[in-house]
Amino acid sequence: MATSDFTSHNEEAQTVWAAYRAGRPVRVPVTLCADTRFFILDDQFNPGEQISFQEYSEDPLVMMDFQLRAAEWRAYHIAPHCDDRAGLPEKFAVTVDLQRYFEAGFFGATVEYRGGQVPDARPILAGDAKNRLFDQGLPDPLTGGIFAQAHHFHEVMVKRLQAGFTYRGRPVEFDPCAPLSSLLGTDGPLTVATNLRGTELYADFYTDPDYVHQLLDFITVGTIARIQAHRRFFGLPEKSPTWGYADDAVQMLSTEMLRQFVVPVHRKLKQALTAASRISIHLCGDATRHFKLFRDELGVDSFDTGFPIDFTWLRKELGTKVEIVGGPRSTLLHDGTPQQVAAEARRILDSGIREGGRFVLREANDLIPRTPLDNLAALYQTARAHGRYA
């Protein structure tokens, strides 16, 4: 897409988002997620993994440069196929990106790098080590575990920026709240507990439920301390006016077990970290049976979904005032044809999910490396043609 085409695209996207946020949508907005995995494991962008996950994760300047290259590529190749601003931004942002191992690493888990995959953390509470965290005590909220490395990365990046570093002639800033940032968010207590204890955790629910309660509460207390400490560090309020988080592992539980074990610690997170009554959550996987509980018990009124999703049932289940973000499976976007993508997007748009005007179309969930851009264009153009409101 030529640079001259971006003006009309950006004006349309701005209009669509403004109308949506004002509660008077003109059409369904489209957003797309392309995280670090998309770029590192994409042979077209990073041939032969010239930059590996280990190099990216262990060198702050490599991390910084890679993020800037990826942001530029996204601005020219992905943004034109959704309602993002396309073309060079007025300024770029970099952050500390420790991937999805950051919370297990905060509690002391070791990072493992595996060829052709994202890095992961080895469970440190497996077997007889289940009480290890309790024996060690809570980590330092700023520099516990892998966060000592995170703060070193922050120092290196900020020093480079203070020396006048720019990219493509545009200013660059450090943003602790950027989507890739590992500093201020959480993947959820149950997900972190799973990373630390492994699959043995799910036997513990039956054989040692008191241990599960203790572990989830320990993780929650540590998470609150970490996030509050980093908010103070970056000059942010300890309680944010809005808040979103995740806990993908809840798909492993029944709704009754969720209510008994997980809702109390989620409520604890919410009460400590935000002044908002209504919050958002990312729950990918088969978790829609829990959404009403999250709405009613925790005030969640925005759900970022994955798959499988029955959009007709979900809209009826939650009503018209709850925001749903979702769409075609990422595997369809990767493996299918533009015609198949368009047909699935049209099916979802016509499912009743648009009722109430609180639906955002996206891939479900995260773009796979080497997803054809023609498929992204098919998704976007279908929304533009068939996602309009009267």
Side-chain angles (χ1 to χ4, degrees):
M1 182 177 287
T3 303
S4 59
D5 293 332
F6 290 153
T7 299
S8 60
H9 169 87
N10 292 339
E11 288 175 350
E12 177 183 337
Q14 185 176 16
T15 298
V16 166
W17 280 117
Y20 179 79
R21 289 165 181 150
R24 298 185 297 273
V26 293
R27 73 158 167 82
V28 170
V30 180
T31 187
L32 294 168
C33 177
D35 60 13
T36 307
R37 173 188 64 119
F38 178 89
F39 294 101
I40 286 186
L41 300 181
D42 190 313
D43 287 338
Q44 294 177 326
F45 184 81
N46 186 32
E49 287 190 52
Q50 292 176 350
I51 302 297
S52 67
F53 262 116
Q54 186 161 2
E55 291 170 303
Y56 175 84
S57 301
E58 296 181 352
D59 187 322
L61 298 183
V62 170
M63 179 180 288
M64 189 174 180
D65 291 340
F66 195 90
Q67 286 180 18
L68 292 168
R69 283 180 50 221
E72 179 185 15
W73 194 94
R74 179 190 172 98
Y76 280 97
H77 298 282
I78 294 178
H81 301 309
C82 64
D83 290 307
D84 283 1
R85 186 189 183 281
L88 283 179
E90 294 180 2
K91 60 182 177 182
F92 286 90
V94 293
T95 195
V96 177
D97 173 20
L98 300 181
Q99 297 292 296
R100 303 268 59 87
Y101 59 77
F102 76 100
E103 288 186 275
F106 172 68
F107 287 105
T110 302
V111 180
E112 293 184 336
Y113 298 99
R114 303 161 185 170
Q117 298 184 41
V118 297
D120 200 0
R122 180 183 301 171
I124 58 171
L125 304 182
D128 295 337
K130 61 187 293 184
N131 293 312
R132 176 177 172 180
L133 290 187
F134 310 145
D135 297 336
Q136 293 177 176
L138 288 168
D140 183 278
L142 278 178
T143 59
I146 203 167
F147 273 73
Q149 175 185 320
H151 278 266
H152 168 66
F153 277 35
H154 168 256
E155 292 171 6
V156 172
M157 290 180 178
V158 169
K159 183 177 180 179
R160 190 183 193 188
L161 296 178
Q162 290 174 339
F165 178 81
T166 62
Y167 184 77
R168 299 296 188 227
R170 305 294 171 94
V172 181
E173 65 177 8
F174 184 90
D175 184 0
C177 301
L180 293 177
S181 180
S182 305
L183 299 170
L184 296 170
T186 178
D187 284 335
L190 183 63
T191 300
V192 178
T194 304
N195 293 337
L196 293 168
R197 175 74 168 140
T199 56
E200 291 174 278
L201 177 69
Y202 296 93
D204 294 329
F205 276 92
Y206 298 96
T207 62
D208 196 352
D210 289 341
Y211 169 76
V212 176
H213 280 296
Q214 185 180 8
L215 179 60
L216 291 175
D217 191 69
F218 184 95
I219 290 169
T220 301
V221 171
T223 299
I224 291 169
R226 172 180 58 80
I227 294 175
Q228 288 181 335
H230 282 86
R231 286 177 176 175
R232 292 191 296 269
F233 181 85
F234 289 109
L236 301 171
E238 285 190 15
K239 282 196 172 186
S240 63
T242 61
W243 193 53
Y245 68 119
D247 208 346
D248 290 340
V250 301
Q251 65 186 288
M252 304 292 288
L253 301 182
S254 69
T255 301
E256 185 51 44
M257 293 178 76
L258 179 70
R259 188 191 309 274
Q260 178 184 352
F261 288 92
V262 179
V263 167
V265 291
H266 279 217
R267 185 177 290 114
K268 194 170 190 174
L269 284 170
K270 179 184 177 183
Q271 291 173 345
L273 296 174
T274 184
S277 60
R278 315 305 293 178
I279 59 176
S280 64
I281 194 167
H282 165 79
L283 294 173
C284 61
D286 189 5
T288 54
R289 67 189 181 278
H290 299 321
F291 283 13
K292 183 179 283 189
L293 178 64
F294 276 102
R295 182 197 66 184
D296 296 342
E297 296 286 336
L298 296 164
V300 175
D301 74 341
S302 177
F303 292 89
D304 181 37
T305 66
F307 65 91
I309 302 292
D310 182 335
F311 288 97
T312 302
W313 174 84
L314 187 58
R315 179 53 75 200
K316 292 178 180 177
E317 174 80 351
L318 296 179
T320 59
K321 295 181 180 181
V322 173
E323 181 181 65
I324 304 296
V325 184
R329 301 186 318 277
S330 55
T331 50
L332 176 65
L333 286 166
H334 183 267
D335 301 327
T337 65
Q339 293 76 22
Q340 290 172 322
V341 171
E344 176 64 0
R346 179 72 183 273
R347 184 192 70 80
I348 292 169
L349 290 168
D350 292 342
S351 68
I353 194 66
R354 289 187 290 154
E355 186 178 351
R358 298 208 67 197
F359 176 62
V360 177
L361 185 66
R362 66 165 290 177
E363 86 297 334
N365 178 261
D366 290 349
L367 292 175
I368 298 172
R370 302 201 72 173
T371 294
L373 297 182
D374 286 348
N375 286 350
L376 304 186
L379 180 71
Y380 187 46
Q381 296 308 322
T382 302
R384 294 182 73 211
H386 303 290
R388 297 194 170 275
Y389 294 94

